[in-house]
Amino acid sequence: MLKSVSRAVQLAARLSTSVPPAASVRPALRLSSAFTRSIWSLSHSGPASGSRPRLLTATRALPTVSCGCGSLHTEGDKAFAEFLTDEIKEEKKIQKNKSLPQMSGGWELELNGTEAKLIRSLSGEKVTITFNVNSSIPPQLEEDPEHTQKSPEDEPEIVSTPNFVVEVTKPGAKSSLVFDCHFPEDESAHGEGEEESDIFAIREVSFQPEGDVEWKETSYTLNTDSLDWALYDHLMDFLADRGVDNTFVDELTELSTALEHQEYIKFLEDLSTFVKCK
């Protein structure tokens, strides 16, 4: 009963304020150590801090060098390549997971670049979770330029909180029940003695053809912003009975964070190769 009342209060909060799709770092998350992204930190400092090195200026001459690859090379390219080499070393040094963490509960992981699928069979039903780590890092709030200089220990954790889709398929059913889920921006920690709230929310529910990549707009879609709280409560319980609960979402976030960092390092390596023309 207390959980139902708690979710009713959460639903009322969503009705009064629109929830943007961008997710935020949740206090409920417990990661053993933070990692920072120095390229992000440099760009985040802003022009007021004066900390970002200016490799090129409008008045500076750009000498070119030719090589066997037939591409343009400049002094700026050389400085850029040296910077990327150092950056890749630093990112690998602070990489928390050299391999992707395992999900508990018998979930099988399938990867396709930045997209991940978690698949589980339960008493004849098939549950598929799909998410993409692109654009999954929440934007950081701007701070006073006088307080932008921080030690590495004080840097905010970079946590990937992607939107994710839950697809439940029953044997013999013509369509799958699909849930579009996200991390609410207004999620906050509860005090001692208070019941734990849901750290994720359902945005939309619809029946869709099994395995379809694109959301079929001709199928009726139930938006939870105007949904009766009791029905929403049952939908959340439906997901929890199939293993999609706070514990699962915490593990999903750790997996997503590790995958995003892995793809980021790979991007830097590809960028370095491209700039060096190897």
Side-chain angles (χ1 to χ4, degrees):
M1 180 62 184
L2 290 176
K3 181 178 284 188
S4 298
V5 173
S6 175
R7 285 181 180 157
V9 172
Q10 295 176 41
L11 184 59
R14 286 198 304 277
L15 291 173
S16 60
T17 59
S18 59
V19 178
S24 59
V25 178
R26 304 183 312 287
L29 210 57
R30 294 291 182 267
L31 298 180
S32 58
S33 63
F35 63 82
T36 60
R37 185 160 297 170
S38 54
I39 282 183
W40 174 87
S41 299
L42 285 172
S43 62
H44 179 69
S45 299
S49 66
S51 63
R52 182 171 184 174
R54 299 193 54 148
L55 302 179
L56 303 176
T57 62
T59 59
R60 180 178 175 181
L62 300 175
T64 61
V65 180
S66 61
C67 73
C69 73
S71 297
L72 174 68
H73 294 281
T74 68
E75 288 300 318
D77 292 345
K78 181 180 178 181
F80 191 12
E82 292 173 352
F83 170 78
L84 287 172
T85 298
D86 293 338
E87 184 67 18
I88 292 169
K89 289 180 181 178
E90 289 301 315
E91 289 297 327
K92 287 184 175 180
K93 185 186 301 183
I94 61 178
Q95 188 177 15
K96 191 173 69 170
N97 295 292
K98 303 302 180 183
S99 59
L100 297 178
Q102 298 291 320
M103 298 285 294
S104 63
W107 294 92
E108 296 180 7
L109 175 63
E110 294 182 1
L111 293 175
N112 181 19
T114 59
E115 183 181 87
K117 282 189 178 183
L118 294 166
I119 304 171
R120 178 189 185 191
S121 295
L122 184 66
S123 300
E125 289 187 2
K126 180 182 177 183
V127 183
T128 304
I129 315 291
T130 306
F131 64 90
N132 196 309
V133 299
N134 283 333
S135 303
S136 65
I137 302 296
Q140 302 294 325
L141 297 177
E142 293 291 340
E143 298 181 1
D144 190 332
E146 296 180 359
H147 301 88
T148 54
Q149 299 299 327
K150 295 181 179 180
S151 64
E153 293 78 12
D154 295 332
E155 287 290 346
E157 294 177 344
I158 295 181
V159 181
S160 170
T161 53
N163 297 337
F164 60 96
V165 173
V166 183
E167 180 181 355
V168 181
T169 305
K170 289 181 176 287
K174 295 181 179 179
S175 301
S176 300
L177 185 60
V178 181
F179 300 78
D180 179 17
C181 302
H182 69 119
F183 295 91
E185 189 180 54
D186 58 354
E187 176 60 37
S188 58
H190 286 251
E192 186 176 349
E194 291 188 31
E195 187 177 359
E196 183 182 16
S197 63
D198 299 310
I199 60 178
F200 72 100
I202 302 170
R203 180 185 289 115
E204 294 178 337
V205 186
S206 178
F207 281 105
Q208 297 290 333
E210 181 183 358
D212 270 20
V213 177
E214 298 296 331
W215 191 281
K216 195 174 181 180
E217 297 296 339
T218 54
S219 298
Y220 179 79
T221 299
L222 181 67
N223 191 303
T224 61
D225 286 344
S226 57
L227 193 64
D228 176 78
W229 69 266
L231 176 55
Y232 181 84
D233 194 55
H234 282 296
L235 290 171
M236 291 293 290
D237 288 341
F238 180 88
L239 290 180
D241 290 342
R242 285 149 182 82
V244 184
D245 54 13
N246 282 355
T247 300
F248 168 83
V249 172
D250 269 335
E251 293 184 7
L252 181 147
T253 308
E254 290 189 32
L255 171 63
S256 177
T257 300
L259 177 60
E260 197 279 338
H261 196 203
Q262 186 180 89
E263 289 295 316
Y264 174 68
I265 293 174
K266 182 178 181 298
F267 172 81
L268 292 181
E269 291 173 336
D270 292 342
L271 181 59
S272 177
T273 301
F274 186 86
V275 171
K276 293 177 181 178
C277 189
K278 286 186 177 181

